[in-house]
Amino acid sequence: MYASRLKPILRFGILLLSLAACSKSDDTGTGGTTTTLPDVYKKIYGASAVYVEGTMVVIKCDGVPDHKSPYFQGTAWAATKYEAYNGTNPLWNQNPNRIATTNLTFKIPLNPVKSATSQATPLGSIGVSLNGVPFYNQYAGPSQPLTNEINSFDQYNGHPQQMGGYHYHVEPLYLTAQKGKSALMGFLLDGFPVYGPQENGVNVGNNQLDAYHGHNHATADFPNGIYHYHITGQDPYINGSGFYGVPGTVSQ
Ligand SMILES: [Zn+2]
Ligand SMILES: [Zn+2]
């Protein structure tokens, strides 16, 4: 009896502790050694918390976009964030889902490494973009292409799934408009960065990328060179045939 009455209090205590941990932005929680968060991760402005925990970077976000969308219709955000479709797709076809909060916790390697056996990307979140919206892969379902689903992408190229989780399978148009076509867009679960569709003002073609949809050279954020993915205008858009590196985890 006593123990069961105590439990909720303990849980509340743990919640407070973890909230306190989340509000830190640049050191570890429990590991004992403190690793400073590299500046590049601070670009993920949509996260509620970003910190280093051991060998991983922890990124927490709710997946709600900071831009407008027709998918805010009828939601608590509708008054400020609903915007009727004003994109360019004549086949636009709004899906029945509406944007809802998702509790996403990404744990991605602080020092990403190439995987000896590249894993396929799962359905659901495969990475996180700068505004905290997750990236999804090039499939609408198991091995199903996006062909029809593309028509439900809003004017910023995202849409919500059945639970209301908003996501991008292709170029996040709001982010490339705000940050530039060659800017860092986020990270995949394996810790390797994702860049926009251009490099030095020129579109990157799929033929310039490997099977995983990336290549290796210096970038503004990684002057010593790093493997990175590029989002292109053609299938498979963000990732090719799986993670180049060893993936971390996401709970959603
Ligand atoms: Zn989707
Ligand atoms: Zn590149």
mmCIF file with all atom_site columns, all heavy atoms in Angstrom, residues 110-132:
data_model
loop_
_atom_site.group_PDB
_atom_site.id
_atom_site.type_symbol
_atom_site.label_atom_id
_atom_site.label_alt_id
_atom_site.label_comp_id
_atom_site.label_asym_id
_atom_site.label_entity_id
_atom_site.label_seq_id
_atom_site.pdbx_PDB_ins_code
_atom_site.Cartn_x
_atom_site.Cartn_y
_atom_site.Cartn_z
_atom_site.occupancy
_atom_site.B_iso_or_equiv
_atom_site.pdbx_formal_charge
_atom_site.auth_seq_id
_atom_site.auth_comp_id
_atom_site.auth_asym_id
_atom_site.auth_atom_id
_atom_site.pdbx_PDB_model_num
ATOM 1   N N   . LEU A 1 110 ? 27.583 10.680 -32.001 1.00 0.00 ? 110 LEU A N   1
ATOM 2   C CA  . LEU A 1 110 ? 28.338 11.934 -31.999 1.00 0.00 ? 110 LEU A CA  1
ATOM 3   C C   . LEU A 1 110 ? 29.481 11.854 -33.013 1.00 0.00 ? 110 LEU A C   1
ATOM 4   O O   . LEU A 1 110 ? 29.826 12.831 -33.664 1.00 0.00 ? 110 LEU A O   1
ATOM 5   C CB  . LEU A 1 110 ? 28.886 12.177 -30.585 1.00 0.00 ? 110 LEU A CB  1
ATOM 6   C CG  . LEU A 1 110 ? 29.785 13.378 -30.352 1.00 0.00 ? 110 LEU A CG  1
ATOM 7   C CD1 . LEU A 1 110 ? 29.068 14.689 -30.671 1.00 0.00 ? 110 LEU A CD1 1
ATOM 8   C CD2 . LEU A 1 110 ? 30.271 13.400 -28.901 1.00 0.00 ? 110 LEU A CD2 1
ATOM 9   N N   . ASN A 1 111 ? 30.061 10.651 -33.132 1.00 0.00 ? 111 ASN A N   1
ATOM 10  C CA  . ASN A 1 111 ? 31.125 10.419 -34.113 1.00 0.00 ? 111 ASN A CA  1
ATOM 11  C C   . ASN A 1 111 ? 30.683 9.322  -35.067 1.00 0.00 ? 111 ASN A C   1
ATOM 12  O O   . ASN A 1 111 ? 30.978 8.151  -34.849 1.00 0.00 ? 111 ASN A O   1
ATOM 13  C CB  . ASN A 1 111 ? 32.423 10.023 -33.404 1.00 0.00 ? 111 ASN A CB  1
ATOM 14  C CG  . ASN A 1 111 ? 32.923 11.154 -32.525 1.00 0.00 ? 111 ASN A CG  1
ATOM 15  O OD1 . ASN A 1 111 ? 33.183 12.257 -33.002 1.00 0.00 ? 111 ASN A OD1 1
ATOM 16  N ND2 . ASN A 1 111 ? 33.018 10.891 -31.232 1.00 0.00 ? 111 ASN A ND2 1
ATOM 17  N N   . PRO A 1 112 ? 29.924 9.689  -36.111 1.00 0.00 ? 112 PRO A N   1
ATOM 18  C CA  . PRO A 1 112 ? 29.354 8.668  -36.997 1.00 0.00 ? 112 PRO A CA  1
ATOM 19  C C   . PRO A 1 112 ? 30.428 7.852  -37.713 1.00 0.00 ? 112 PRO A C   1
ATOM 20  O O   . PRO A 1 112 ? 31.482 8.386  -38.059 1.00 0.00 ? 112 PRO A O   1
ATOM 21  C CB  . PRO A 1 112 ? 28.522 9.475  -37.997 1.00 0.00 ? 112 PRO A CB  1
ATOM 22  C CG  . PRO A 1 112 ? 28.966 10.886 -37.864 1.00 0.00 ? 112 PRO A CG  1
ATOM 23  C CD  . PRO A 1 112 ? 29.543 11.054 -36.501 1.00 0.00 ? 112 PRO A CD  1
ATOM 24  N N   . VAL A 1 113 ? 30.161 6.575  -37.887 1.00 0.00 ? 113 VAL A N   1
ATOM 25  C CA  . VAL A 1 113 ? 31.101 5.701  -38.592 1.00 0.00 ? 113 VAL A CA  1
ATOM 26  C C   . VAL A 1 113 ? 30.371 4.899  -39.663 1.00 0.00 ? 113 VAL A C   1
ATOM 27  O O   . VAL A 1 113 ? 29.196 4.558  -39.510 1.00 0.00 ? 113 VAL A O   1
ATOM 28  C CB  . VAL A 1 113 ? 31.815 4.709  -37.637 1.00 0.00 ? 113 VAL A CB  1
ATOM 29  C CG1 . VAL A 1 113 ? 32.808 5.429  -36.768 1.00 0.00 ? 113 VAL A CG1 1
ATOM 30  C CG2 . VAL A 1 113 ? 30.812 3.932  -36.794 1.00 0.00 ? 113 VAL A CG2 1
ATOM 31  N N   . LYS A 1 114 ? 31.096 4.578  -40.726 1.00 0.00 ? 114 LYS A N   1
ATOM 32  C CA  . LYS A 1 114 ? 30.546 3.771  -41.814 1.00 0.00 ? 114 LYS A CA  1
ATOM 33  C C   . LYS A 1 114 ? 30.208 2.388  -41.279 1.00 0.00 ? 114 LYS A C   1
ATOM 34  O O   . LYS A 1 114 ? 30.935 1.834  -40.458 1.00 0.00 ? 114 LYS A O   1
ATOM 35  C CB  . LYS A 1 114 ? 31.582 3.654  -42.936 1.00 0.00 ? 114 LYS A CB  1
ATOM 36  C CG  . LYS A 1 114 ? 31.054 2.937  -44.177 1.00 0.00 ? 114 LYS A CG  1
ATOM 37  C CD  . LYS A 1 114 ? 32.154 2.808  -45.221 1.00 0.00 ? 114 LYS A CD  1
ATOM 38  C CE  . LYS A 1 114 ? 31.651 2.263  -46.555 1.00 0.00 ? 114 LYS A CE  1
ATOM 39  N NZ  . LYS A 1 114 ? 30.571 1.305  -46.528 1.00 0.00 ? 114 LYS A NZ  1
ATOM 40  N N   . SER A 1 115 ? 29.076 1.857  -41.743 1.00 0.00 ? 115 SER A N   1
ATOM 41  C CA  . SER A 1 115 ? 28.671 0.518  -41.329 1.00 0.00 ? 115 SER A CA  1
ATOM 42  C C   . SER A 1 115 ? 29.234 -0.512 -42.310 1.00 0.00 ? 115 SER A C   1
ATOM 43  O O   . SER A 1 115 ? 29.286 -0.263 -43.510 1.00 0.00 ? 115 SER A O   1
ATOM 44  C CB  . SER A 1 115 ? 27.146 0.444  -41.329 1.00 0.00 ? 115 SER A CB  1
ATOM 45  O OG  . SER A 1 115 ? 26.728 -0.874 -41.108 1.00 0.00 ? 115 SER A OG  1
ATOM 46  N N   . ALA A 1 116 ? 29.668 -1.657 -41.783 1.00 0.00 ? 116 ALA A N   1
ATOM 47  C CA  . ALA A 1 116 ? 30.163 -2.718 -42.658 1.00 0.00 ? 116 ALA A CA  1
ATOM 48  C C   . ALA A 1 116 ? 29.005 -3.342 -43.428 1.00 0.00 ? 116 ALA A C   1
ATOM 49  O O   . ALA A 1 116 ? 29.158 -3.774 -44.573 1.00 0.00 ? 116 ALA A O   1
ATOM 50  C CB  . ALA A 1 116 ? 30.884 -3.776 -41.828 1.00 0.00 ? 116 ALA A CB  1
ATOM 51  N N   . THR A 1 117 ? 27.844 -3.391 -42.802 1.00 0.00 ? 117 THR A N   1
ATOM 52  C CA  . THR A 1 117 ? 26.643 -3.955 -43.435 1.00 0.00 ? 117 THR A CA  1
ATOM 53  C C   . THR A 1 117 ? 25.537 -2.926 -43.319 1.00 0.00 ? 117 THR A C   1
ATOM 54  O O   . THR A 1 117 ? 24.916 -2.799 -42.277 1.00 0.00 ? 117 THR A O   1
ATOM 55  C CB  . THR A 1 117 ? 26.198 -5.238 -42.712 1.00 0.00 ? 117 THR A CB  1
ATOM 56  O OG1 . THR A 1 117 ? 26.044 -4.927 -41.322 1.00 0.00 ? 117 THR A OG1 1
ATOM 57  C CG2 . THR A 1 117 ? 27.209 -6.351 -42.877 1.00 0.00 ? 117 THR A CG2 1
ATOM 58  N N   . SER A 1 118 ? 25.313 -2.180 -44.363 1.00 0.00 ? 118 SER A N   1
ATOM 59  C CA  . SER A 1 118 ? 24.354 -1.080 -44.266 1.00 0.00 ? 118 SER A CA  1
ATOM 60  C C   . SER A 1 118 ? 22.929 -1.573 -44.049 1.00 0.00 ? 118 SER A C   1
ATOM 61  O O   . SER A 1 118 ? 22.439 -2.403 -44.805 1.00 0.00 ? 118 SER A O   1
ATOM 62  C CB  . SER A 1 118 ? 24.421 -0.224 -45.525 1.00 0.00 ? 118 SER A CB  1
ATOM 63  O OG  . SER A 1 118 ? 25.633 0.488  -45.522 1.00 0.00 ? 118 SER A OG  1
ATOM 64  N N   . GLN A 1 119 ? 22.307 -1.036 -43.016 1.00 0.00 ? 119 GLN A N   1
ATOM 65  C CA  . GLN A 1 119 ? 20.927 -1.416 -42.704 1.00 0.00 ? 119 GLN A CA  1
ATOM 66  C C   . GLN A 1 119 ? 19.937 -0.621 -43.545 1.00 0.00 ? 119 GLN A C   1
ATOM 67  O O   . GLN A 1 119 ? 20.135 0.572  -43.765 1.00 0.00 ? 119 GLN A O   1
ATOM 68  C CB  . GLN A 1 119 ? 20.608 -1.100 -41.241 1.00 0.00 ? 119 GLN A CB  1
ATOM 69  C CG  . GLN A 1 119 ? 21.190 -2.064 -40.239 1.00 0.00 ? 119 GLN A CG  1
ATOM 70  C CD  . GLN A 1 119 ? 20.795 -1.648 -38.828 1.00 0.00 ? 119 GLN A CD  1
ATOM 71  O OE1 . GLN A 1 119 ? 19.677 -1.218 -38.588 1.00 0.00 ? 119 GLN A OE1 1
ATOM 72  N NE2 . GLN A 1 119 ? 21.721 -1.783 -37.899 1.00 0.00 ? 119 GLN A NE2 1
ATOM 73  N N   . ALA A 1 120 ? 18.845 -1.283 -43.926 1.00 0.00 ? 120 ALA A N   1
ATOM 74  C CA  . ALA A 1 120 ? 17.763 -0.583 -44.619 1.00 0.00 ? 120 ALA A CA  1
ATOM 75  C C   . ALA A 1 120 ? 17.147 0.430  -43.661 1.00 0.00 ? 120 ALA A C   1
ATOM 76  O O   . ALA A 1 120 ? 17.152 0.218  -42.445 1.00 0.00 ? 120 ALA A O   1
ATOM 77  C CB  . ALA A 1 120 ? 16.707 -1.575 -45.076 1.00 0.00 ? 120 ALA A CB  1
ATOM 78  N N   . THR A 1 121 ? 16.621 1.521  -44.188 1.00 0.00 ? 121 THR A N   1
ATOM 79  C CA  . THR A 1 121 ? 15.916 2.483  -43.336 1.00 0.00 ? 121 THR A CA  1
ATOM 80  C C   . THR A 1 121 ? 14.537 1.931  -43.007 1.00 0.00 ? 121 THR A C   1
ATOM 81  O O   . THR A 1 121 ? 13.921 1.261  -43.843 1.00 0.00 ? 121 THR A O   1
ATOM 82  C CB  . THR A 1 121 ? 15.772 3.840  -44.040 1.00 0.00 ? 121 THR A CB  1
ATOM 83  O OG1 . THR A 1 121 ? 15.146 3.631  -45.308 1.00 0.00 ? 121 THR A OG1 1
ATOM 84  C CG2 . THR A 1 121 ? 17.124 4.511  -44.241 1.00 0.00 ? 121 THR A CG2 1
ATOM 85  N N   . PRO A 1 122 ? 14.036 2.213  -41.809 1.00 0.00 ? 122 PRO A N   1
ATOM 86  C CA  . PRO A 1 122 ? 12.694 1.742  -41.449 1.00 0.00 ? 122 PRO A CA  1
ATOM 87  C C   . PRO A 1 122 ? 11.620 2.687  -41.986 1.00 0.00 ? 122 PRO A C   1
ATOM 88  O O   . PRO A 1 122 ? 11.926 3.821  -42.380 1.00 0.00 ? 122 PRO A O   1
ATOM 89  C CB  . PRO A 1 122 ? 12.722 1.791  -39.925 1.00 0.00 ? 122 PRO A CB  1
ATOM 90  C CG  . PRO A 1 122 ? 13.635 2.946  -39.630 1.00 0.00 ? 122 PRO A CG  1
ATOM 91  C CD  . PRO A 1 122 ? 14.687 2.953  -40.724 1.00 0.00 ? 122 PRO A CD  1
ATOM 92  N N   . LEU A 1 123 ? 10.367 2.261  -41.953 1.00 0.00 ? 123 LEU A N   1
ATOM 93  C CA  . LEU A 1 123 ? 9.253  3.191  -42.160 1.00 0.00 ? 123 LEU A CA  1
ATOM 94  C C   . LEU A 1 123 ? 9.188  4.024  -40.881 1.00 0.00 ? 123 LEU A C   1
ATOM 95  O O   . LEU A 1 123 ? 9.597  3.577  -39.819 1.00 0.00 ? 123 LEU A O   1
ATOM 96  C CB  . LEU A 1 123 ? 7.942  2.433  -42.388 1.00 0.00 ? 123 LEU A CB  1
ATOM 97  C CG  . LEU A 1 123 ? 7.892  1.628  -43.694 1.00 0.00 ? 123 LEU A CG  1
ATOM 98  C CD1 . LEU A 1 123 ? 6.613  0.810  -43.770 1.00 0.00 ? 123 LEU A CD1 1
ATOM 99  C CD2 . LEU A 1 123 ? 8.015  2.530  -44.923 1.00 0.00 ? 123 LEU A CD2 1
ATOM 100 N N   . GLY A 1 124 ? 8.682  5.245  -40.977 1.00 0.00 ? 124 GLY A N   1
ATOM 101 C CA  . GLY A 1 124 ? 8.709  6.133  -39.814 1.00 0.00 ? 124 GLY A CA  1
ATOM 102 C C   . GLY A 1 124 ? 9.961  6.995  -39.868 1.00 0.00 ? 124 GLY A C   1
ATOM 103 O O   . GLY A 1 124 ? 10.605 7.111  -40.913 1.00 0.00 ? 124 GLY A O   1
ATOM 104 N N   . SER A 1 125 ? 10.319 7.591  -38.749 1.00 0.00 ? 125 SER A N   1
ATOM 105 C CA  . SER A 1 125 ? 11.414 8.560  -38.722 1.00 0.00 ? 125 SER A CA  1
ATOM 106 C C   . SER A 1 125 ? 12.762 7.914  -39.038 1.00 0.00 ? 125 SER A C   1
ATOM 107 O O   . SER A 1 125 ? 13.121 6.909  -38.443 1.00 0.00 ? 125 SER A O   1
ATOM 108 C CB  . SER A 1 125 ? 11.506 9.213  -37.343 1.00 0.00 ? 125 SER A CB  1
ATOM 109 O OG  . SER A 1 125 ? 10.288 9.826  -37.010 1.00 0.00 ? 125 SER A OG  1
ATOM 110 N N   . ILE A 1 126 ? 13.483 8.502  -39.974 1.00 0.00 ? 126 ILE A N   1
ATOM 111 C CA  . ILE A 1 126 ? 14.847 8.030  -40.282 1.00 0.00 ? 126 ILE A CA  1
ATOM 112 C C   . ILE A 1 126 ? 15.875 9.114  -39.971 1.00 0.00 ? 126 ILE A C   1
ATOM 113 O O   . ILE A 1 126 ? 17.075 8.907  -40.114 1.00 0.00 ? 126 ILE A O   1
ATOM 114 C CB  . ILE A 1 126 ? 14.994 7.580  -41.748 1.00 0.00 ? 126 ILE A CB  1
ATOM 115 C CG1 . ILE A 1 126 ? 14.822 8.759  -42.720 1.00 0.00 ? 126 ILE A CG1 1
ATOM 116 C CG2 . ILE A 1 126 ? 14.003 6.460  -42.072 1.00 0.00 ? 126 ILE A CG2 1
ATOM 117 C CD1 . ILE A 1 126 ? 15.332 8.467  -44.138 1.00 0.00 ? 126 ILE A CD1 1
ATOM 118 N N   . GLY A 1 127 ? 15.405 10.275 -39.537 1.00 0.00 ? 127 GLY A N   1
ATOM 119 C CA  . GLY A 1 127 ? 16.305 11.374 -39.231 1.00 0.00 ? 127 GLY A CA  1
ATOM 120 C C   . GLY A 1 127 ? 15.502 12.584 -38.789 1.00 0.00 ? 127 GLY A C   1
ATOM 121 O O   . GLY A 1 127 ? 14.269 12.539 -38.724 1.00 0.00 ? 127 GLY A O   1
ATOM 122 N N   . VAL A 1 128 ? 16.225 13.651 -38.480 1.00 0.00 ? 128 VAL A N   1
ATOM 123 C CA  . VAL A 1 128 ? 15.567 14.853 -37.962 1.00 0.00 ? 128 VAL A CA  1
ATOM 124 C C   . VAL A 1 128 ? 16.048 16.074 -38.734 1.00 0.00 ? 128 VAL A C   1
ATOM 125 O O   . VAL A 1 128 ? 17.234 16.199 -39.036 1.00 0.00 ? 128 VAL A O   1
ATOM 126 C CB  . VAL A 1 128 ? 15.819 15.003 -36.436 1.00 0.00 ? 128 VAL A CB  1
ATOM 127 C CG1 . VAL A 1 128 ? 17.309 15.104 -36.110 1.00 0.00 ? 128 VAL A CG1 1
ATOM 128 C CG2 . VAL A 1 128 ? 15.052 16.175 -35.855 1.00 0.00 ? 128 VAL A CG2 1
ATOM 129 N N   . SER A 1 129 ? 15.106 16.950 -39.061 1.00 0.00 ? 129 SER A N   1
ATOM 130 C CA  . SER A 1 129 ? 15.477 18.166 -39.781 1.00 0.00 ? 129 SER A CA  1
ATOM 131 C C   . SER A 1 129 ? 15.629 19.323 -38.790 1.00 0.00 ? 129 SER A C   1
ATOM 132 O O   . SER A 1 129 ? 15.285 19.198 -37.610 1.00 0.00 ? 129 SER A O   1
ATOM 133 C CB  . SER A 1 129 ? 14.449 18.481 -40.860 1.00 0.00 ? 129 SER A CB  1
ATOM 134 O OG  . SER A 1 129 ? 13.203 18.779 -40.277 1.00 0.00 ? 129 SER A OG  1
ATOM 135 N N   . LEU A 1 130 ? 16.128 20.453 -39.264 1.00 0.00 ? 130 LEU A N   1
ATOM 136 C CA  . LEU A 1 130 ? 16.467 21.568 -38.385 1.00 0.00 ? 130 LEU A CA  1
ATOM 137 C C   . LEU A 1 130 ? 15.282 22.081 -37.570 1.00 0.00 ? 130 LEU A C   1
ATOM 138 O O   . LEU A 1 130 ? 15.448 22.533 -36.447 1.00 0.00 ? 130 LEU A O   1
ATOM 139 C CB  . LEU A 1 130 ? 17.056 22.741 -39.193 1.00 0.00 ? 130 LEU A CB  1
ATOM 140 C CG  . LEU A 1 130 ? 18.323 22.476 -40.011 1.00 0.00 ? 130 LEU A CG  1
ATOM 141 C CD1 . LEU A 1 130 ? 18.845 23.797 -40.586 1.00 0.00 ? 130 LEU A CD1 1
ATOM 142 C CD2 . LEU A 1 130 ? 19.400 21.788 -39.190 1.00 0.00 ? 130 LEU A CD2 1
ATOM 143 N N   . ASN A 1 131 ? 14.077 22.001 -38.137 1.00 0.00 ? 131 ASN A N   1
ATOM 144 C CA  . ASN A 1 131 ? 12.914 22.514 -37.397 1.00 0.00 ? 131 ASN A CA  1
ATOM 145 C C   . ASN A 1 131 ? 12.249 21.438 -36.546 1.00 0.00 ? 131 ASN A C   1
ATOM 146 O O   . ASN A 1 131 ? 11.152 21.643 -36.024 1.00 0.00 ? 131 ASN A O   1
ATOM 147 C CB  . ASN A 1 131 ? 11.905 23.169 -38.354 1.00 0.00 ? 131 ASN A CB  1
ATOM 148 C CG  . ASN A 1 131 ? 11.344 22.200 -39.380 1.00 0.00 ? 131 ASN A CG  1
ATOM 149 O OD1 . ASN A 1 131 ? 11.808 21.059 -39.470 1.00 0.00 ? 131 ASN A OD1 1
ATOM 150 N ND2 . ASN A 1 131 ? 10.369 22.631 -40.160 1.00 0.00 ? 131 ASN A ND2 1
ATOM 151 N N   . GLY A 1 132 ? 12.895 20.297 -36.395 1.00 0.00 ? 132 GLY A N   1
ATOM 152 C CA  . GLY A 1 132 ? 12.373 19.252 -35.515 1.00 0.00 ? 132 GLY A CA  1
ATOM 153 C C   . GLY A 1 132 ? 11.376 18.319 -36.177 1.00 0.00 ? 132 GLY A C   1
ATOM 154 O O   . GLY A 1 132 ? 10.834 17.417 -35.525 1.00 0.00 ? 132 GLY A O   1
#
